[in-house]
Amino acid sequence: MKEFMLIFRHEDGKKVASPEQIQQWMKETMDWIAGISAQHKFVGGNGLLFDDAKIVGHKGVVTNGPYGDIKETLGGYIIVKADDVNEAVAFAKGCPVLVGDGNTVEVRMLAKGDGLH
Amino acid sequence: MKQDQLIPNLFRTEYSKIVAVLCKHFGVTFIDHAEDIASDSFLKAMQTWPFEGIPEKPTAWLYTVAKNKAFNLLLRRQTYEANVLTAWTDMNDCSITLDLSEDNIQDSQLRMIFAICHPTLPKESQIALALRILCGFGIDEIATAFLTSRDTINKRLSRAKDKFRNANVTLEFPEGNTLITRLDAVLITLYLLFSEGYYSENNERLVNEEFCFEAMRLAHLLTLSNETCRPETNALLALMCFQASRLKARTDHSGALIFYEEQDTTLWDMALIAEGTRYLHEASTGNTVSRYHLEAAIAYWYTRKENAEEKWQNILTLYDQLLTVEYSPIAAMNRTFALAQVKGNATAIVEAEKLKLEENLFYFVLLGELYRPLDGEKAKLHFERALTLAKTQRDRQSIQRKLNGVVAS
């Protein structure tokens, strides 16, 4: 069985959600993860905090980020087990992040543990 | 042990608490920061809890994050914000940390209620601020409730906050005689907030139950403090309980209004009626009879299911008293409905027609009802008139049903 990383990309990470929306979003995310866990296919995951986020650029130029030029930001990821990319994509389709217009989930197979090494 | 269920309305409830405590500590000028700190804390929860599970004490978790965020913010700002710096230094010197105990949260929220219902702020601003700051509703949710855009609500809120800051509104608790007049203003705002939820003329969604329950929560908060737990506070809360007891019976599955006399009384919430009765009892001390006492007493009789003559006679007497305490054309109109039950429709029609509330759809619904057993043609004309005044599909539907009833009979 292969492992895939599902990476959440937000079109605008600084958009402020209302308390009620955050509650709804939190519930959906927990339900989504619980659904994957129930099939013993959830490996792990984490959110990425916006506090003190920095971008280190060419020649070590450090900027506060990831805002400004780069609008799109990473919000978090989970790692799932799946037989193939199609199964991983099926998991990704249920991700509540996708409710937000312009948000995407990128699906990438992890190199280590791909069965060849 | 980890909880796997979120407390309902957790973030909305905690939003108002965190903002109130921060504002009590740092002053009203801090309000925008306080809101940011609360939102940021929830965002952090959003990025942590789904992966690690909900913490055992979610509110304590949120308070720790909010405290740290407040501290970091002040640390960053200390060079140019002298007044906040003082607060910060005090906090540092005396090693006071933000007090997020239950008592202080309650006290902060009470002060916040008084600050937001300050007489220098227009009522419209008070309602918008109350929904945002005291109840934690989002801009979108408020905009939907008032059928307007995010921009409009944002502008209304920022104007309200400017006024709030410029009027030097403080989070001091009013004392003595000032308390009575200020409490009066608070009660009016809470009643408006409740009514906004109870019937909206323009909104397709007839009742915004959550607004009603928020208004009740805030009124309940007032009853918890000795200074604000006055007879009129209890009377207002009783009134709200009685009205809210019919929320489920007031709309059909399509959202259309079901008029009082057509409601399925088994859907009335008996627990709320009992609670209302208890508050009304609490209100019956001292010698003030406020408009809320009279309105609560009327609302109480409306919760009685049996159509006894006693019921309508009492309602009529109470309306007569209410009109002398505080006249309003709507109350006068509602009185004529009670009058009809006691003295007959013909007498009530004479009184009702004097009122000439030409813009009010319920006025024509009432006239239609009063004429129905006497003169079908006239009843039809009045219902048709009401139909032209209805602004929502939902109200048109309810009136059409009445109209069909006349044509059929």
Side-chain angles (χ1 to χ4, degrees), chain A residues 8 13 16-23 25-27 29-30 33 42 45-51 75 77-78, chain B residues 4 6-12 15 39 42-47 49-51 54 69 132 136 138 140-141:
Chain A
F8 319 149
V16 188
S18 78
E20 218 50 13
Q21 285 164 331
I22 292 182
Q23 180 122 6
W25 192 16
M26 171 99 77
K27 199 187 160 300
T29 308
M30 293 194 313
I33 291 176
F42 180 73
N46 219 326
L48 301 173
L49 301 178
F50 291 104
D51 312 12
Y77 66 90
I78 65 164
Chain B
D4 52 359
L6 275 174
I7 302 166
N9 299 325
L10 171 72
F11 293 115
R12 205 153 59 68
Y15 187 89
S39 293
F42 301 160
L43 219 50
K44 186 161 184 176
M46 178 58 222
Q47 286 164 317
W49 298 2
F51 310 103
I54 301 168
K69 285 195 183 283
R132 179 76 183 135
D140 282 332
E141 291 138 28

Side-chain angles (χ1 to χ4, degrees), chain B residues 91-206:
Chain B
M91 185 171 89
N92 228 19
D93 286 354
C94 324
S95 12
I96 306 167
T97 42
L98 273 183
D99 179 2
L100 281 151
S101 65
E102 217 169 286
D103 283 350
N104 194 48
I105 288 174
Q106 192 183 311
D107 182 60
S108 306
Q109 284 190 301
L110 275 176
R111 286 164 191 250
M112 204 64 172
I113 295 179
F114 276 91
I116 282 173
C117 304
H118 197 274
T120 55
L121 299 180
K123 280 290 169 204
E124 189 192 61
S125 307
Q126 294 185 17
I127 299 283
L129 274 178
L131 287 170
R132 179 76 183 135
I133 308 291
L134 299 176
C135 314
F137 287 108
I139 308 293
D140 282 332
E141 291 138 28
I142 302 174
T144 314
F146 289 105
L147 276 197
T148 176
S149 66
R150 280 183 70 88
D151 279 354
T152 311
I153 294 298
N154 268 325
K155 273 185 216 140
R156 196 181 291 177
L157 277 170
S158 82
R159 265 200 311 267
K161 280 187 209 160
D162 283 345
K163 278 220 168 85
F164 202 39
R165 281 183 285 248
N166 295 337
N168 273 330
V169 173
T170 59
L171 287 186
E172 299 305 314
F173 204 82
E175 280 173 359
N177 283 339
T178 328
L179 176 74
I180 311 283
T181 48
R182 292 285 303 279
L183 181 62
D184 220 31
V186 169
L187 297 182
I188 291 173
T189 303
L190 295 189
Y191 194 13
L192 284 174
L193 183 60
F194 182 88
S195 310
E196 191 55 54
Y198 202 65
Y199 175 76
S200 164
E201 187 178 295
N202 296 303
N203 202 332
E204 283 296 343
R205 194 171 153 202
L206 173 69

Side-chain angles (χ1 to χ4, degrees), chain B residues 55-82:
Chain B
E56 210 172 307
K57 292 179 178 155
T59 53
W61 190 101
L62 290 172
Y63 295 162
T64 309
V65 174
K67 275 183 205 174
N68 290 340
K69 285 195 183 283
F71 195 79
N72 289 337
L73 179 81
L74 295 173
L75 214 55
R76 250 178 280 147
R77 300 200 148 246
Q78 60 168 307
T79 41
Y80 54 91
E81 271 192 27

